[in-house]
Each structure stands twice: as C-alpha cells, then as structure tokens.
Amino acid sequence: MKGKILMRKKVIVHSMNLKNMESFIEYYKKHGLEKKIKLIKIESKNPYGILLKLKKFYYMYLTKYDAIVSDYPTRLLEKSTKISIAMGHGTAIKKFPSDEELKDEKKLALCKSIKKADYYLTTSERQNHLEFRNEILDKESKNTYLPLGLPKNDYYFDDKKVNKVNYEVRQKLGFHPEDFIVLYAPTWRDYKINRNALNKEDLIKLDRLLGQRAGYMIYRPHKLGGTIDEKLLDSLKLNRIINSSNLNIDTFQSLCIANALISDYSSIAIEFLPLNRPIIFYLFDEEEYVAKRGINFDYNDENISPGLVVKNSNELLSAFKKLLDNEFNNFYWKTRRSICLSNHYTYPDGKASERIWNLILSHL
C-alpha cells in the first residue's frame, strides 16, 4: 500500500516590489521549506497587467491557500484559511495613512483590506500606534499588532552583505572606495510645494563644496515627485550632484553606498538606521508639511530622532561641511543613533524573516 501523499501548504507572498520580500523568500529556500510549503509570489508592480489580474482572480475566487504575507493592501488578505499577515513597505515616522487620505474612497477601501489581516507587523511598539490606525479603520479591525520587524530591513543588519554591495556598486558606477557619498532622499508631498529644496545658486555652491572635499551627492526623489527641479539639475551638468534616474540602482543599493543620508519626513531614515551612519533631516517646508500632512515625530528627542535638523539651504551647506569632515561619526552621534535604533527596532538583529516564518508555521 502506498504511503499517504502529503499536500504542500500554499503560502502567498505579495508585494508591490518583491525585492522588499527577498529576505523572506531566501529564508524559505535556505531552510528547505519548499518540501512542505508551496510559495506563490505575486508582484503588483503593474496593477493593470492582465496576467496579474488573472492570477489574483484565481487565488481570490477559484482556489484556496493557507497563508498570505503582504506589504501592500490587497483583498487577498481576506481569503487565507489559516493565517494572514500584513505589514507596511516602510517604517512610518508619521501617522499612516493620514486622516485626509482616508477621505478618498478608493484609498479607504484599500486600507480596510489591511485591517482584515490576522496580524499587522511593525518594527517597534511605537509603530503599532502609527500604522493603519484610525477610528474608522479600527472599528472593523481584525489586526493583532506584532513588532517582529520587516523582511526588507534584514539586510541592513548584515555587514558582509552591505559591504559587498557597497564595493560592487561603487565599482560599477565608477566611484572610488574613499569617495564620500551623500544620498538625498526626500519623501513625497501630496501637494504642490511652494519652493524647491535647493535653487540654482544652492546647487552650484554645493557642487563646488563637494568638489573640494572629494564628495558626491546622489539625489533620489520619491517616485511620485521630488523637491529639486530635475530639469534644472540636469541642465546645470554638475560634476558632483547626480540625479539617481541616471543610475541603475535600487533603494537598497543606494543606502549601502551612502556614507550619509539626508531626508525629511520619510521612513527611509529608519531603514538606514541599522548602518549607524550620519543622518540629516532637511525640513525646509516643515510648517507647510505639518499643516497639510501632519507629523508624529519629535525631531528634538534624542531617543527618537537620530540626526541633525536643518531648515534652510545655508544650514544644509553648513551641515554638509561637517559631514565631509566626519564630524557626525563621533561618540555622541554614534551613541545617539544606537539608542534610536533600539527604540525603532524591538528586535535589532536582522531576523525578521525568521520570526515571520515561525509565526506562519505555528498556524499551519
């Protein structure tokens, strides 16, 4: 008599960009989970693609699956038979989504799908009160919040991987190992900004300063909109300020090669934090942003905010001089970043994927 054939459990991993889930998928392969689990990968990068629509329709209505992990809203979270896990694709330093965003019926519907998940994962207890929290959303919430961490952040805790990427990408792009690279990565404003973060004169001054100190700045705007006039930047043909659209590198690679980060209200600062490298918050439009979007982050709190705050281009240029002179890698700043890391990551160890798989396996 033949032995009973055991059917593999079906687990869906869903993301707008499966690169964010690479660590989660690698763990599955490395630990031989394919013997008992079939991993189904769904990337919604092109939401209007016919093949994607057919795949989602199939798993939504025509078959069953045991578990799903998603870092982006999807109704597939409603259909798993054993466990559904949702998370954000970043670590919010402000309430997300905003109350204003939820006035949009389509966005509200998407957010409600997140609240159908059994678990919502964050990086810390602080995030549990910021992400997808709203009176409207919490009314129908099934979520149990757990600060297990996000797979996309695992790699930043792996020094060997970070150093390898840093070396390979610099070599590919023609940067010297000793070049000081500053990444400027602002968040998206869902409104028209009144002025640019840096004007023509500012850009020329900064380029000159970078040239004097063997430094470069890579400008990486949010894919939905930036804070520097890109046409102006390209027309100036500066030697030391580079538009990231001219480079074929992703966010992870950008952060690995960056000696320092300049951002604002973006979660990328928290993503960068495990590297313990200098961070500058350039809040040139803070009053406007607070009025239109709101902030739930105290930039003056040394236990929460890991970087120096500057509010105009002159202060930014001054901060650049200090960055290039390595003044933000002293004992005070390294310790401050380390303290902030422990407050933004309940488990600062790069093992989020392992914890998530253990949670899934405990339900299968």
Side-chain angles (χ1 to χ4, degrees):
M1 182 178 175
K2 292 183 179 180
K4 185 178 179 181
I5 298 174
L6 295 176
M7 297 295 291
R8 289 191 299 167
K9 302 291 186 181
K10 294 178 182 177
V11 175
I12 291 177
V13 55
H14 171 265
S15 177
M16 281 291 285
N17 184 353
L18 282 173
K19 177 77 175 177
N20 292 340
M21 292 294 193
E22 196 171 305
S23 175
F24 179 79
I25 295 167
E26 279 188 5
Y27 186 92
Y28 164 82
K29 294 175 180 176
K30 185 178 179 181
H31 291 81
L33 295 179
E34 67 271 11
K35 295 175 183 177
K36 54 184 176 181
I37 292 171
K38 179 181 180 180
L39 191 65
I40 300 148
K41 292 178 275 189
I42 300 178
E43 186 172 59
S44 292
K45 192 176 288 186
N46 177 13
Y48 303 106
I50 187 65
L51 291 178
L52 174 64
K53 285 185 175 181
L54 288 172
K55 193 171 188 177
K56 283 192 171 183
F57 182 86
Y58 175 73
Y59 285 104
M60 187 74 191
Y61 300 107
L62 302 180
T63 191
K64 291 183 179 180
Y65 49 94
D66 301 281
I68 178 171
V69 178
S70 179
D71 69 358
Y72 198 78
T74 173
R75 287 197 62 209
L76 290 169
L77 288 163
E78 303 171 23
K79 295 291 184 175
S80 61
T81 60
K82 301 289 186 183
I83 177 175
S84 56
I85 300 172
M87 66 188 83
H89 48 277
T91 304
I93 64 172
K94 56 195 176 246
K95 190 176 176 183
F96 179 82
S98 68
D99 293 343
E100 191 66 28
E101 285 176 290
L102 292 180
K103 292 177 182 179
D104 183 309
E105 290 296 325
K106 287 185 178 180
K107 287 183 180 178
L108 177 60
L110 271 177
C111 293
K112 282 185 175 181
S113 68
I114 285 280
K115 305 308 284 185
K116 301 291 185 183
D118 299 311
Y119 296 95
Y120 187 89
L121 305 186
T122 64
T123 61
S124 70
E125 293 291 343
R126 181 180 184 276
Q127 303 309 124
N128 292 354
H129 304 287
L130 290 178
E131 298 185 29
F132 289 92
R133 304 312 294 259
N134 177 282
E135 285 185 12
I136 298 172
L137 295 177
D138 284 337
K139 273 182 188 176
E140 304 173 25
S141 177
K142 285 179 59 186
N143 298 161
T144 296
Y145 276 72
L146 295 175
L148 302 185
L150 307 182
K152 70 176 295 186
N153 294 338
D154 282 352
Y155 288 149
Y156 300 108
F157 291 93
D158 187 334
D159 289 341
K160 285 185 178 179
K161 178 160 285 196
V162 169
N163 291 336
K164 183 173 183 288
V165 171
N166 181 27
Y167 174 79
E168 291 176 348
V169 174
R170 281 176 178 250
Q171 192 173 52
K172 181 181 83 169
L173 298 178
F175 289 114
H176 190 274
E178 300 303 315
D179 287 337
F180 196 98
I181 299 174
V182 180
L183 178 68
Y184 176 34
T187 196
W188 176 54
R189 278 79 169 153
D190 54 355
Y191 55 85
K192 187 175 181 180
I193 59 176
N194 292 324
R195 66 188 189 281
N196 289 311
L198 295 167
N199 60 29
K200 180 179 179 179
E201 183 182 350
D202 297 327
L203 291 167
I204 292 171
K205 282 183 181 178
L206 179 55
D207 187 70
R208 190 179 300 127
L209 172 64
L210 289 164
Q212 293 167 356
R213 311 288 184 96
Y216 291 88
M217 186 182 89
I218 296 174
Y219 170 55
R220 188 177 187 87
H222 192 282
K223 61 183 180 180
L224 295 177
T227 58
I228 293 177
D229 184 339
E230 292 186 62
K231 288 183 179 178
L232 170 64
L233 179 58
D234 291 339
S235 71
L236 290 174
K237 300 186 185 305
L238 301 172
N239 295 318
R240 296 282 170 163
I241 301 176
I242 303 165
N243 191 335
S244 68
S245 63
N246 299 322
L247 307 175
N248 184 26
I249 55 173
D250 60 27
T251 302
F252 172 66
Q253 293 168 321
S254 299
L255 291 176
C256 286
I257 68 172
N259 297 94
L261 172 71
I262 296 174
S263 193
D264 43 30
Y265 324 105
S266 170
S267 66
I268 200 170
I270 309 306
E271 190 173 334
F272 188 67
L273 196 48
L275 301 177
N276 202 350
R277 298 174 186 173
I279 298 170
I280 303 293
F281 293 106
Y282 184 27
L283 312 183
F284 70 95
D285 60 344
E286 184 178 17
E287 289 184 10
E288 185 178 15
Y289 194 88
V290 169
K292 294 185 176 179
R293 177 60 179 80
I295 301 175
N296 298 82
F297 192 86
D298 185 351
Y299 287 93
N300 296 313
D301 187 338
E302 297 182 2
N303 298 305
I304 295 295
S305 178
L308 178 74
V309 173
V310 296
K311 297 192 176 183
N312 58 57
S313 59
N314 288 332
E315 290 180 356
L316 181 64
L317 285 168
S318 176
F320 255 98
K321 290 176 184 176
K322 293 177 181 178
L323 275 177
L324 296 167
D325 287 339
N326 210 31
E327 292 187 25
F328 293 104
N329 271 322
N330 58 25
F331 177 79
Y332 167 77
W333 280 108
K334 284 186 174 182
T335 302
R336 178 167 169 173
R337 291 193 295 267
S338 180
I339 291 170
C340 290
L341 178 71
S342 66
N343 287 322
H344 287 291
Y345 290 83
T346 298
Y347 301 100
D349 56 10
K351 295 182 179 180
S353 295
E354 178 181 338
R355 283 185 286 274
I356 297 167
W357 272 114
N358 286 338
L359 177 62
I360 292 169
L361 293 170
S362 71
H363 284 74
L364 296 183

